[in-house]
Amino acid sequence: MVDQDIEELAGLVQRARRAVVFTGAGFSTECGIPDFRSPGGFWTRFKPISFQEFTASEETRIEAWRRFFVIRETLAGAAPGRPHLITAELVGRGHVAHVITQNIDGLDARAGVPSGRIVELHGNGTYAKCLECGERHEIDWVKAELDRAGRPPPCVACGGIVKSATISFGQAMPEQAMADARAATFKADLFLAMGSSLQVFPAAGFPVSAAQNRTPLVIVNREPTGLDGLASLVINRDVGDVLESVMACLAEANH
Ligand code: NAD
């Protein structure tokens, strides 16, 4: 797949020194993790539980944890795919400075992107936290307590509500991650939004900011998004195929 769009994207990547790779669920679908909005995705099976619903009722918390353990099984069985591995390579070559991800699967780190270069906007699904005091709790402990008592355990430090360290709809965004994402977006010389429907805000505000800063914005997604009008280049194809072709183009140019 070498055509004008791929050559243009390869040229942009080749010249970039501080690119941001901004990712959504579509970045990990080739790893067997379904996205949210496509048929068969989580949302077509489960209506999302908001933060307010989670905190309001223990019954809802039990259901939220039940769903979390279903998702966790899928995450545990997944390995990094081409999008993650190629991004790690581009970080190593000095073209990409930061990955800003909406994903909670931890696959960027497992592909070799250094943790200081990863901004997790929607948290991380590998551990849990107390909503009152912030104490960290391990997921296996929550599972064992839930199985034993039939209800989610309270925080051992303060008795508060324990929740996976992911961000639900209606929950405040993590301040440090938002600040890091703003800084990376401000400094970026190229902004690549890949595998995201760009419908979830405030996360989707970062590609908007990049375009407002006149940073070239490239959107790679299987289907059109509402932000395509802001982009200098839109490629509606599989992100793994696109990145693989970009790498082939770069290899060719270096010969
Ligand atoms: P989304 O489901 O709204 O959008 C994913 C987009 O990726 C869709 O437009 C889809 O057409 C496209 N897509 C799917 N596979 C693709 C591929 N191989 N190549 C190119 N495009 C592809 O997801 P979102 O934009 O990330 O927003 C929804 C929320 O879902 C986020 O907050 C995220 O935290 C959460 N989520 C995360 C995971 C994960 O951690 N892997 C999985 C599901 C949902």
Side-chain angles (χ1 to χ4, degrees):
M1 187 213 294
V2 176
D3 59 23
Q4 227 178 335
D5 287 349
I6 297 294
E7 279 178 0
E8 187 179 342
L9 177 54
L12 287 166
V13 169
Q14 177 70 35
R15 289 189 293 278
R17 295 292 172 270
R18 297 178 307 280
V20 160
V21 166
F22 175 92
T23 70
F27 214 61
S28 300
T29 48
E30 75 167 41
C31 312
I33 304 173
D35 62 14
F36 258 171
R37 289 178 176 78
S38 301
F42 292 134
W43 275 15
T44 53
R45 285 190 287 150
F46 301 137
K47 178 182 166 290
I49 293 172
S50 72
F51 184 67
Q52 286 68 25
E53 288 164 334
F54 183 91
T55 51
S57 125
E58 184 176 69
E59 205 184 329
T60 307
R61 287 197 284 282
I62 292 172
E63 172 60 14
W65 277 109
R66 189 189 68 77
R67 293 180 188 186
F68 178 84
F69 289 119
V70 173
I71 292 170
R72 186 186 182 227
E73 222 159 276
T74 309
L75 298 187
R82 292 172 299 169
H84 310 95
L85 295 166
I86 292 171
T87 300
E89 174 73 27
L90 291 175
V91 172
R93 291 190 198 179
H95 296 301
V96 172
H98 288 95
V99 176
I100 301 177
T101 186
Q102 300 170 83
N103 295 339
I104 56 153
D105 54 34
L107 291 177
D108 301 295
R110 283 176 53 202
V113 179
S115 61
R117 305 298 193 100
I118 303 171
V119 183
E120 290 175 322
L121 284 179
H122 293 164
N124 185 302
T126 62
Y127 63 99
K129 255 165 109 170
C130 172
L131 292 176
E132 313 301 323
C133 71
E135 177 89 356
R136 177 184 165 127
H137 296 283
E138 299 314 315
I139 298 289
D140 286 340
W141 171 77
V142 175
K143 175 115 181 55
E145 288 296 300
L146 192 54
D147 288 347
R148 189 183 58 78
R151 49 194 300 207
C155 172
V156 282
C158 77
I161 293 174
V162 174
K163 181 180 175 293
S164 67
T166 53
I167 304 298
S168 302
F169 285 103
Q171 186 169 2
M173 294 292 283
E175 276 173 34
Q176 189 60 51
M178 286 297 283
D180 292 347
R182 269 193 293 271
T185 302
F186 186 69
K187 283 191 251 158
D189 54 4
L190 174 64
F191 196 101
L192 305 171
M194 300 195 274
S196 173
S197 61
L198 302 176
Q199 289 180 35
V200 177
F201 283 81
F206 292 106
V208 174
S209 299
Q212 284 168 345
N213 296 343
R214 296 176 190 269
T215 305
L217 168 65
V218 179
I219 296 178
V220 179
N221 202 51
R222 252 187 214 151
E223 56 186 4
T225 76
L227 300 188
D228 289 357
L230 298 177
S232 23
L233 177 63
V234 175
I235 305 181
N236 288 139
R237 291 188 217 155
D238 178 272
V239 64
D241 291 349
V242 167
L243 287 176
E244 208 169 63
S245 302
V246 163
M247 294 311 269
C249 227
L250 293 182
E252 183 104 331
N254 289 333
H255 267 118

